[in-house]
Amino acid sequence: MKLTQQVIEQLAEHLENAELQAHDVVKITEAHPEMDWDDAYAIQAEILRRKLARGNRVVGLKCGLTSHAKMKQMGVDTPCFGFLVDYFSVADGGEIKVAELVHPKIEPEIVFVLKKALKGPGCHIGNVLAATDFVMPGLEIIDSRYRDFKFDLKSVIADNCSSSRFVLGGQAVPVGEVDLRTLGVVMEKNGEAVAIGAGAAVLGHPAAAIAMLANHLGARGEEIPAGTMILSGGVTEAVAVQAGDHVNLRIQALGSVGVRFI
Ligand code: OOG
Ligand code: MG
């Protein structure tokens, strides 16, 4: 750790205010180039602490930057992990107010729900499949608080990996009934296919993203509890949205999920 607790708290407040007030900020590494990975996750943890103190509840976890399409789009080469709280959740077919966000983008995700806890180190896709209750389609709305959606990995980790909203829907399918690598993914914006992919785009197998999360938490002495919902990471590039847009995601064998922006 390179930053003091006081600076970590100050940066968490700064980034969370940007989220809650829907305004952008400059990358925090500009003023704090010395910050390290632990500082970045400590800032994220402090944002979570602020939300829990306000009565929010954790409803899931996310993996980000797990596909080459996303890594290339954002100019980074390592996945990141974040948390999802209650007010990020939007019902299937529901509405998202763009005025509450800075510059939202949307991406297709394969979502896991666990029936057993997962703990690293050494967690692999076999453990993940054995611990998974079901998979389902999800849309994630990411909204970096950084100017022009440009950041480096430490800045984006501190900003809870751009988390802002998510939508779950479709069918909950037992993980043994599908081949997650070859699952076709089609995301449509206003009726036009804007992103097309397959599950293998996520680290070769989306369960590998969940294993990475378990190993990341294991290194900190934490685990993924049984029952946890986890977004495994955008399969394709994220697509910018504005008021008036509607987005529908179809995943082969898992059904569809949609949302409207107003
Ligand atoms: C970081 C969050 C990435 C994903 O699924 O790759 C993410 C970003 O691109 O802003 O959620
Ligand atoms: Mg995502």
Side-chain angles (χ1 to χ4, degrees):
M1 305 270 293
K2 299 286 185 330
L3 304 180
T4 62
Q5 182 58 26
Q6 193 195 347
V7 171
I8 286 168
E9 285 171 19
Q10 195 187 308
L11 289 171
E13 181 176 8
H14 172 67
L15 286 172
E16 204 211 6
N17 282 344
E19 180 224 320
L20 297 174
Q21 297 158 14
H23 64 74
D24 65 6
V25 294
V26 299
K27 291 199 307 257
I28 58 172
T29 45
E30 311 242 315
H32 302 277
E34 75 285 13
M35 67 181 273
D36 65 19
W37 306 110
D38 290 334
D39 291 318
Y41 278 107
I43 295 165
Q44 185 192 112
E46 175 62 19
I47 292 175
L48 174 58
R49 196 199 59 74
R50 295 172 64 85
K51 292 191 186 304
L52 295 176
R54 225 177 277 124
N56 294 134
R57 224 167 61 75
V58 175
V59 298
L61 300 175
K62 69 172 267 184
C63 311
L65 305 170
T66 51
S67 67
H68 289 294
K70 288 279 316 183
M71 290 188 213
K72 189 163 163 241
Q73 181 179 30
M74 304 326 300
V76 297
D77 58 7
T78 315
C80 62
F81 308 102
F83 64 82
L84 304 167
V85 288
D86 42 17
Y87 71 91
F88 294 180
S89 176
V90 177
D92 186 11
E95 289 173 346
I96 293 175
K97 294 191 181 78
V98 293
E100 291 177 359
L101 307 177
V102 187
H103 39 207
K105 293 185 187 180
I106 191 162
E107 56 192 18
E109 306 243 356
I110 295 172
V111 181
F112 287 65
V113 176
L114 302 186
K115 59 186 172 201
K116 293 196 201 119
L118 277 173
K119 191 167 172 127
C123 183
H124 52 63
I125 65 171
N127 304 133
V128 174
L129 296 177
T132 299
D133 197 354
F134 54 84
V135 289
M136 64 196 301
L139 285 165
E140 185 181 17
I141 294 81
I142 50 171
D143 190 34
S144 175
R145 269 53 71 169
Y146 297 118
R147 196 145 301 160
D148 303 323
F149 227 110
K150 294 217 173 76
F151 47 70
D152 49 72
L153 202 48
K154 288 171 190 163
S155 295
V156 73
I157 288 168
D159 185 32
N160 191 24
C161 303
S162 311
S163 301
S164 98
R165 299 288 184 272
F166 67 88
V167 193
L168 303 182
Q171 284 151 246
V173 173
V175 72
E177 287 180 15
V178 287
D179 178 354
L180 291 174
R181 296 165 305 170
T182 56
L183 276 189
V185 172
V186 180
M187 188 172 76
E188 292 167 347
K189 182 169 97 170
N190 306 326
E192 207 181 301
V194 288
I196 298 169
V202 175
L203 294 173
H205 193 306
I210 311 302
M212 264 186 114
L213 170 62
N215 292 330
H216 164 80
L217 292 175
R220 295 169 152 69
E222 295 167 33
E223 63 175 24
I224 313 178
T228 303
M229 180 278 288
I230 311 157
L231 306 182
S232 59
V235 176
T236 68
E237 278 188 16
V239 174
V241 283
Q242 53 187 40
D245 288 340
H246 61 91
V247 175
N248 187 60
L249 166 66
R250 273 177 292 143
I251 301 188
Q252 186 183 3
L254 305 185
S256 61
V257 55
V259 71
R260 289 185 299 127
F261 293 86
I262 60 170

